[in-house]
Amino acid sequence: MNPKNSVFIATNLDGYIAGKNDSLAFLDTIPEINKIDTGYEAFTANIDALVMGRVTFEIVKGFGTEWPYKKPVFVLSNTMKVVSEEYKDKVFPISGSLTEVLHKIHEQGYHRLYIDGGKTIQSFLKEDLIDEMIITTIPILIGGGTPLFSDLAEQLEFECTKSIVFLDKIAQNHYRRVRK
């Protein structure tokens, strides 16, 4: 099976995935979005596992809800070696270079990966390891926070394969990496 690394994420209009102090309040700007199908379930049905950074893991843990992922979650961390009992068999700490990490994950039979978290996505992009991005844009400007993108050594070309507008307000664009 060909490995595939995909991103499914929401940003605001100015390209932040979280506001100051990791606030996700902008996601609640249009609450009706939570009542419609934006493709998340179909997307996650086609992945084998998630890879996220430690900060994202801590944010998700802090939601105070039931663990939201049905697939294995690999958490990139050089310091976390074990997880608490409630996450056993759900969350797996992993470390090393991204190439080493992917090799370890692929050896376990997981090839279609959902890459999540700002720094993690940025790191994967810096090493040209993202094949697909689905970006949902909430039309609000927040003026600061955690950006989705950061500096790259060279430009990466993507093509827009699909665009959808939800509720006449929210745009979702599907991008596929163009490799020559």
Side-chain angles (χ1 to χ4, degrees):
M1 172 178 283
N2 288 336
K4 182 178 181 183
N5 299 323
S6 303
V7 171
F8 191 106
I9 199 160
T11 70
N12 50 48
L13 200 53
D14 42 357
Y16 296 103
I17 59 172
K20 295 171 182 145
N21 301 316
D22 295 323
S23 170
L24 298 174
F26 78 92
L27 294 173
D28 297 327
T29 305
I30 305 170
E32 344 33 306
I33 192 71
N34 297 320
K35 297 176 183 156
I36 64 170
D37 179 9
T38 59
Y40 181 77
E41 294 299 324
F43 171 79
T44 56
N46 286 307
I47 59 129
D48 300 324
L50 289 85
V51 178
M52 68 175 58
R54 174 81 181 262
V55 171
T56 301
F57 172 65
E58 296 297 337
I59 289 170
V60 173
K61 275 183 17 179
F63 288 161
T65 61
E66 184 178 320
W67 186 242
Y69 307 110
K70 296 174 179 83
K71 307 282 175 95
V73 175
F74 292 91
V75 176
L76 299 172
S77 177
N78 291 320
T79 57
M80 184 173 70
K81 302 299 180 204
V82 296
V83 294
S84 63
E85 193 62 34
E86 69 182 299
Y87 300 106
K88 195 172 178 78
D89 300 325
K90 297 176 188 174
V91 175
F92 308 92
I94 194 163
S95 63
S97 71
L98 291 184
T99 305
E100 293 168 340
V101 164
L102 289 174
H103 181 72
K104 291 175 192 175
I105 293 171
H106 294 162
E107 279 186 326
Q108 296 179 53
Y110 306 114
H111 299 280
R112 298 170 303 168
L113 304 176
Y114 172 5
I115 311 303
D116 197 18
K119 297 229 183 306
T120 301
I121 293 168
Q122 291 171 7
S123 295
F124 271 73
L125 284 166
K126 283 180 182 176
E127 295 194 31
D128 195 9
L129 295 171
I130 296 294
D131 302 298
E132 167 188 57
M133 292 189 294
I134 301 167
I135 302 172
T136 304
T137 305
I138 310 298
I140 185 169
L141 297 170
I142 63 171
T146 304
L148 175 55
F149 302 113
S150 65
D151 293 337
L152 296 171
E154 58 185 58
Q155 72 181 30
L156 303 176
E157 183 181 343
F158 286 80
E159 67 179 354
C160 187
T161 59
K162 181 163 75 170
S163 291
I164 305 169
V165 176
F166 299 109
L167 306 170
D168 294 327
K169 300 174 186 177
I170 298 168
Q172 183 180 81
N173 292 299
H174 296 233
Y175 298 99
R176 183 174 53 84
R177 176 74 172 98
V178 176
R179 291 191 168 83
K180 296 176 179 168

